[in-house]
């Protein structure tokens, strides 16, 4: 609320909201929320809470790079890798993330604030070796790591997590019509505007939409 300079009644979009951890709490504090996520199952969890508490939250199922809401919003958040960092197999990470950020910008009023977190590529690189690069586990061109997991039902799934270099994330935002206000440490539980540590899990960026729409 402080970082975005939010005022009660303002409309805020939460991109990649999951079950709505941030959206539901902000709605309780008087902010109108629009939540977007690819997973209908996760949205349904938040929808039940909102209905039970009669919270002013709108739920929209869709891809963050493609789903365009008709109304402009005052601010936006994309936290805990909501729409950044997690990729599907075969997706070009640069084109995809440019699409996400351009879409968010198109739904923001000029001067609207945007708060996001993304995985820190510096940490991903320090955690891996040349052998991981040779095996394809770590792709240095995209700073993405491929992991395989087995679900409780025995299904094997591949998870691709992309880390961002601080300058890369700043450049993407500027290319999409944002003025970057701060880039700092973003590890959950200790979000701050201090210098990014090499082993920081996340980077947090505060930005502002330019005046052109």
């Amino acid at each position: 609320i402080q970082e975005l300079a939010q005022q009660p009644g303002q409309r805020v979009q939460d991109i990649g909201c999951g079950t709505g951890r941030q959206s539901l709490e902000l709605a309780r504090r008087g902010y109108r929320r629009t939540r977007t996520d690819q997973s209908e199952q996760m949205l349904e969890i938040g929808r039940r809470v909102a209905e039970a508490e009669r919270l002013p939250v709108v739920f929209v199922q869709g891809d963050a790079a493609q789903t365009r809401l008709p109304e402009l919003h005052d601010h936006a958040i994309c936290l805990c890798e909501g729409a950044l960092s997690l990729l599907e197999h075969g997706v070009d990470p640069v084109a995809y993330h440019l699409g996400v950020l351009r879409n968010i910008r198109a739904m923001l009023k000029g001067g609207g604030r945007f708060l996001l977190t993304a995985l820190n590529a510096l940490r991903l690189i320090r955690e891996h070796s040349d052998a991981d690069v040779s095996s394809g586990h770590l792709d240095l061109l995209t700073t993405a790591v491929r992991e395989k997991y087995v679900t409780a039902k025995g299904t094997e799934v591949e998870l691709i997590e992309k880390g961002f270099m601080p300058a890369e994330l700043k450049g993407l935002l500027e290319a999409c019509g944002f003025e970057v206000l701060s880039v700092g440490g973003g590890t959950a539980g200790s979000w701050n505007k201090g210098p990014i540590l090499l082993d920081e899990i996340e980077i947090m960026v505060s930005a502002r939409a330019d005046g052109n729409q």
Side-chain angles (χ1 to χ4, degrees):
I1 291 172
Q2 292 175 346
E3 186 61 31
L4 299 181
Q6 289 180 247
Q7 300 298 321
Q10 286 186 323
R11 189 183 299 274
V12 185
Q13 55 176 314
D14 186 355
I15 308 298
C17 61
T19 59
R21 178 172 56 185
Q22 289 87 18
S23 291
L24 293 168
E25 180 57 33
L26 286 168
R28 294 183 185 108
R29 300 187 186 202
Y31 300 94
R32 294 184 296 167
R33 312 291 299 180
T34 301
R35 300 172 48 210
T36 305
D37 199 276
Q38 282 195 348
S39 171
E40 179 60 33
Q41 291 87 350
M42 296 187 85
L43 288 173
E44 182 57 30
I45 294 173
R47 186 178 289 116
R48 289 197 296 267
V49 174
E51 290 176 352
E53 298 184 30
R54 297 183 179 180
L55 297 174
V57 182
V58 177
F59 301 85
V60 178
Q61 191 277 329
D63 188 321
Q66 300 177 9
T67 303
R68 183 71 56 86
L69 304 174
E71 65 276 9
L72 293 179
H73 289 68
D74 298 288
H75 305 292
I77 61 173
C78 180
L79 302 175
C80 302
E81 291 73 70
L84 301 182
S85 297
L86 295 178
L87 294 170
E88 294 183 4
H89 182 72
V91 172
D92 178 80
V94 175
Y96 176 73
H97 287 106
L98 280 172
V100 171
L101 295 174
R102 284 172 179 154
N103 206 29
I104 293 172
R105 173 61 193 91
M107 293 184 286
L108 268 182
K109 296 178 181 178
R113 299 286 289 271
F114 178 34
L115 192 65
L116 72 91
T117 60
L119 292 177
N120 179 14
L122 298 168
R123 176 176 178 267
L124 290 181
I125 292 170
R126 281 164 62 89
E127 286 182 335
H128 293 84
S129 65
D130 288 333
D132 292 321
V133 176
S134 298
S135 68
H137 179 57
L138 170 64
D139 183 349
L140 289 180
L141 185 62
T142 60
T143 55
V145 175
R146 296 176 181 270
E147 301 277 7
K148 289 186 177 180
Y149 296 91
V150 178
T151 69
K153 296 182 179 180
T155 304
E156 185 178 84
V157 296
E158 182 181 57
L159 177 66
I160 304 174
E161 293 184 303
K162 172 178 167 48
F164 290 86
M165 300 294 284
E168 173 191 18
L169 197 54
K170 181 175 182 289
L172 288 171
L173 282 159
E174 290 174 344
C176 294
F178 287 97
E179 174 193 0
V180 174
L181 303 175
S182 67
V183 181
T187 299
S190 61
W191 288 340
N192 59 72
K193 289 186 176 181
I196 301 168
L197 303 177
L198 290 174
D199 292 319
E200 196 99 55
I201 295 175
E202 295 174 304
I203 298 170
M204 172 172 275
V205 181
S206 177
R208 178 168 52 213
D210 61 26
N212 299 317
Q213 181 61 43

